[in-house]
Amino acid sequence: MSERLISILLDSFWKILLPGLTMTIPLTVLSFSIAMVIAVAVAMVQFANIRILKQLARFYIWIVRGTPLLVQLYVVFYGLPNLGIMVKPFPSAVIVFSLNEGAYCAETVRAALESVPKGQLEAGYCVGMSYLQTIRRIILPQALRTAFPSLSNNLISLVKDTSLASNITVMEMFMATQRIAGRYYAHLALYIEVAVIYLLFCTVLTRLQKVGEKKLNSYGAN
């Protein structure tokens, strides 16, 4: 490795990390937070078995899971202007990532809800709770505890998926790396460097996932 290449890597590290902290992480957190709201709502609709709403929920999940994430980004950012709807790059990315992640998380939450014994719902009724109170206080907490590992994996995957936002001009880590690589023609080294930074982010989330699982398991044991 030449001195020039080492100098490029050292100089570019903060130029890549900064967009990661100011764009990649906020994009991930905001998108996943909205996705979880969507996921719980869609899962609850299916769990309640409200016929028309359930069909709409299944249609939404079918469309989102059956089309590529990159295509969805292009439809919102490049396609909607043809209908007179202009959406800026960052909001476009948030909308698409939220809807996409929401569909996958909805299936995880739905499966977790259905794994809770039916007797729990009946027990809630026996102590005078309404359906919504039983869901909120008894069923949903147990389901989310069960779904936590899978939802954490979805969050880690979303961190990496945000690199696709560079295709709609969002200045996140990968786009910053592309610009630096185009300036210095050190593509291999710089792409490995950004891969290492993504790996660091995901490693931190993996550690937090393990801590969260331990706390939830201890809470469940008590």
Side-chain angles (χ1 to χ4, degrees):
M1 184 177 290
S2 65
E3 292 184 4
R4 174 180 176 275
L5 187 56
I6 294 175
S7 176
I8 291 173
L9 291 175
L10 292 175
D11 181 63
S12 64
F13 180 80
W14 294 109
K15 294 179 180 178
I16 296 173
L17 181 62
L18 185 60
L21 297 175
T22 60
M23 186 62 70
T24 299
I25 296 302
L27 177 58
T28 300
V29 172
L30 183 58
S31 298
F32 193 77
S33 299
I34 298 173
M36 282 303 302
V37 175
I38 295 172
V40 172
V42 172
M44 289 299 303
V45 164
Q46 296 182 84
F47 183 73
N49 203 24
I50 305 173
R51 184 174 178 80
I52 296 177
L53 293 180
K54 183 177 181 179
Q55 289 177 345
L56 291 175
R58 296 308 305 173
F59 180 76
Y60 155 66
I61 292 172
W62 173 62
I63 291 294
V64 171
R65 297 203 306 173
T67 55
L69 177 55
L70 184 58
V71 173
Q72 295 167 16
L73 283 167
Y74 274 54
V75 167
V76 171
F77 185 69
Y78 295 111
L80 290 184
N82 292 333
L83 301 177
I85 304 174
M86 306 295 294
V87 187
K88 293 183 178 180
F90 185 80
S92 295
V94 171
I95 291 170
V96 173
F97 288 137
S98 299
L99 291 174
N100 184 276
E101 200 65 33
Y104 286 94
C105 291
E107 287 296 270
T108 299
V109 176
R110 177 191 60 78
L113 285 170
E114 293 178 352
S115 71
V116 178
K118 298 295 183 182
Q120 296 288 319
L121 189 60
E122 296 172 359
Y125 291 148
C126 289
V127 297
M129 291 185 183
S130 66
Y131 175 78
L132 291 179
Q133 287 176 327
T134 305
I135 291 295
R136 180 169 60 86
R137 298 179 182 180
I138 300 177
I139 306 298
L140 194 56
Q142 293 183 65
L144 291 178
R145 187 163 60 245
T146 301
F148 181 80
S150 295
L151 294 176
S152 299
N153 289 336
N154 288 346
L155 174 59
I156 292 171
S157 294
L158 181 58
V159 173
K160 296 174 288 184
D161 288 342
T162 56
S163 62
L164 293 174
S166 63
N167 290 277
I168 59 171
T169 72
V170 175
M171 182 53 74
E172 43 72 62
M173 280 201 306
F174 187 66
M175 187 173 185
T177 305
Q178 287 179 308
R179 292 191 174 185
I180 297 172
R183 186 182 310 131
Y184 293 110
Y185 295 97
H187 295 83
L188 177 60
L190 287 168
Y191 287 145
I192 290 176
E193 183 174 45
V194 73
V196 170
I197 296 175
Y198 275 113
L199 182 60
L200 290 174
F201 284 173
C202 293
T203 300
V204 171
L205 289 176
T206 300
R207 297 291 185 184
L208 292 176
Q209 177 186 0
K210 291 181 179 179
V211 172
E213 288 180 4
K214 287 182 179 180
K215 288 187 176 180
L216 288 174
N217 289 335
S218 62
Y219 175 78
N222 295 330

